[in-house]
């Protein structure tokens, strides 16, 4: 199909999407979602159509759950084109996405799509600060704290993308992200949620604000060691990475770990049966324990490492 014909077809579907007929609207949006799912060219052509993005944004505010989710699907597809991310991330759109996440009456699928759209737009580094200014960070943390939130995994992934910007890390820590994420790790029945929460904690620990908050968390070392004893490899990788950073910053954390009788056994097991990243992190932890033991020998102090 020629470009001119594609433009004409897309224009027709956009026109149908504004129809008074719910059935016509739904069919048009389903088609737009389908043709933009895998084609960057179709996304560009749709975005270039007069009034397309404002029209889709207006439809995403529909009281009809299916119209809302289909409109968000099309907007998400558009956001996959790198050259469209900046223009899509205007404050009106961001505030609307925030309102979907905040509202307890939003359909779960709409919340997932709104979160995924934020995550996609935030992959452009220039957009990350916009979401911080718009108050998206505390909204995400509040939503994640709800144990019944069906979109928890999407929300966690979005938070992880946003906190890679230092300013957003600060906002997340101030909004109570550390205890919320620790609670998800300790209480979640889903290994994916635990692993993703630990990945976000690892990102927060790269900045001083996040690392300091982790150090102040009660029983943080024993909590991470419990994760190391679990089955989820993604969780083990995250916990080991956090322990490496804690040990680098605080000798007391290393002493706490060495006082746990199962610590060395767990490390030995992961060093043999863990993933490549888990083995790498474990090797660093084992080296730190050996170094601590050598220091205790050299200065004549009580050995930290008990065999």
């Amino acid at each position: 199909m020629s470009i001119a014909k594609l433009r004409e077809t897309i224009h027709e579907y956009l026109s149908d999407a504004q129809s008074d007929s719910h059935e016509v609207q739904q069919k048009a949006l389903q088609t737009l979602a389908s043709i933009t799912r895998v084609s960057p060219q179709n996304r560009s052509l749709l975005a270039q159509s007069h009034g397309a993005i404002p029209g889709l944004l207006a439809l995403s505010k529909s009281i009809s759950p299916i119209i809302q989710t289909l409109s968000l699907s099309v907007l998400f597809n558009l956001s996959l084109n790198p050259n469209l991310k900046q223009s899509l991330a205007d404050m009106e759109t961001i505030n609307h996405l925030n309102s979907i996440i905040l509202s307890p009456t939003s359909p779960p699928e709409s919340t997932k799509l709104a979160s995924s759209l934020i995550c996609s737009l935030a992959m452009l580094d220039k957009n990350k600060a916009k979401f911080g200014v718009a108050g998206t960070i505390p909204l995400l943390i509040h939503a994640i704290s709800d144990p019944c939130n069906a979109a928890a995994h999407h929300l966690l992934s979005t938070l992880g993308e946003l906190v890679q910007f230092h300013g957003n890390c600060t906002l997340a820590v101030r909004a109570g992200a550390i205890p919320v994420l620790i609670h998800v790790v300790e209480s979640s029945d889903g290994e994916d949620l635990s692993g993703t929460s630990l990945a976000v904690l690892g990102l927060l620990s790269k900045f001083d604000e996040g690392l300091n908050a982790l150090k102040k968390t009660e029983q943080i070392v024993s909590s991470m060691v419990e994760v190391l004893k679990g089955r989820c490899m993604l969780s083990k990788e995250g916990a080991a990475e956090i322990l490496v950073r804690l040990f680098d910053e605080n000798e007391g954390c290393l002493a706490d770990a060495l006082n746990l009788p199962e610590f060395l056994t767990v490390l030995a097991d992961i060093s043999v049966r863990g993933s490549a990243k888990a083995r790498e992190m474990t090797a660093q932890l084992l080296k730190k324990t050996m170094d601590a033991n050598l220091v205790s020998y050299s200065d004549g102090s009580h050995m930290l490492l008990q065999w």
Side-chain angles (χ1 to χ4, degrees), residues 125 128-133 137-138 141 159 161-175 203-204 207-210:
D125 287 341
K128 285 181 169 64
K130 290 184 180 180
F131 289 102
V133 171
I137 307 296
I141 294 168
L159 181 62
E161 183 62 41
L162 287 170
V163 299
Q164 294 178 54
F165 173 62
H166 191 174
N168 287 344
C169 172
T170 301
L171 292 172
V173 171
R174 290 176 179 173
L203 291 168
L204 291 172
F207 300 106
D208 288 343
E209 297 91 332

Side-chain angles (χ1 to χ4, degrees), residues 9 14 35 69 89 133 201 226 273:
T9 301
L14 278 172
I35 66 175
T69 55
V133 171
L201 284 169
E226 281 299 313
R273 299 194 296 172

Side-chain angles (χ1 to χ4, degrees), residues 16-36:
D16 286 348
Q18 302 297 330
S19 169
D20 292 333
S21 166
H22 184 276
E23 184 178 347
V24 172
Q25 274 190 317
Q26 182 175 334
K27 183 177 179 180
L29 288 169
Q30 285 173 334
T31 303
L32 289 173
S34 177
I35 66 175
T36 57

Side-chain angles (χ1 to χ4, degrees), residues 268-279:
D269 179 68
I270 297 175
S271 68
V272 174
R273 299 194 296 172
S275 64
K277 180 177 179 180
R279 293 198 305 272

Side-chain angles (χ1 to χ4, degrees), residues 157-285:
S157 297
T158 301
L159 181 62
E161 183 62 41
L162 287 170
V163 299
Q164 294 178 54
F165 173 62
H166 191 174
N168 287 344
C169 172
T170 301
L171 292 172
V173 171
R174 290 176 179 173
I178 300 294
V180 168
L181 293 169
I182 292 290
H183 180 72
V184 174
V185 171
E186 294 177 340
S187 63
S188 175
D189 294 328
E191 292 181 346
D192 283 347
L193 286 183
S194 176
T196 307
S197 296
L198 283 159
V200 179
L201 284 169
L203 291 168
L204 291 172
S205 72
K206 291 182 179 181
F207 300 106
D208 288 343
E209 297 91 332
L211 188 57
N212 289 335
L214 279 169
K215 286 190 294 186
K216 295 175 183 177
T217 300
E218 189 175 352
Q219 303 295 317
I220 183 62
V221 172
S222 60
S223 293
M224 293 301 101
V225 173
E226 281 299 313
V227 173
L228 294 179
K229 292 160 62 177
R231 295 181 301 172
C232 177
M233 194 54 62
L234 177 62
S235 295
K236 291 182 180 185
E237 292 172 358
E241 185 175 3
I242 289 168
L243 285 173
V244 167
R245 291 204 174 97
L246 288 172
F247 291 0
D248 282 340
E249 291 293 318
N250 192 315
E251 292 182 359
C253 290
L254 175 55
D256 289 343
L258 292 171
N259 284 329
L260 298 172
E262 69 273 30
F263 179 61
L264 292 176
T265 304
V266 170
L267 292 186
D269 179 68
I270 297 175
S271 68
V272 174
R273 299 194 296 172
S275 64
K277 180 177 179 180
R279 293 198 305 272
E280 177 189 349
M281 293 293 106
T282 300
Q284 293 185 45
L285 292 171

Side-chain angles (χ1 to χ4, degrees), residues 5 29-30 36 38-39 43 51 54 56 63 75 84 119 134 154 160 173 186 217 228 240 244 261 297 299:
K5 182 61 176 176
L29 288 169
Q30 285 173 334
T36 57
V38 295
S39 172
R43 295 173 200 144
L56 290 166
I63 60 173
L75 288 168
L84 297 177
C119 187
H154 295 73
V173 171
E186 294 177 340
T217 300
L228 294 179
V244 167
Y297 269 115
D299 66 11

Side-chain angles (χ1 to χ4, degrees), residues 102-143:
L102 181 63
S103 174
T105 60
S106 294
E109 194 61 29
S110 291
T111 303
K112 292 177 183 179
L113 284 166
S115 182
S116 295
L117 179 51
I118 291 172
C119 187
S120 176
L121 295 175
M123 288 179 182
L124 179 66
D125 287 341
K126 290 181 179 179
N127 285 342
K128 285 181 169 64
K130 290 184 180 180
F131 289 102
V133 171
T136 305
I137 307 296
L139 292 180
L140 288 171
I141 294 168
H142 176 74

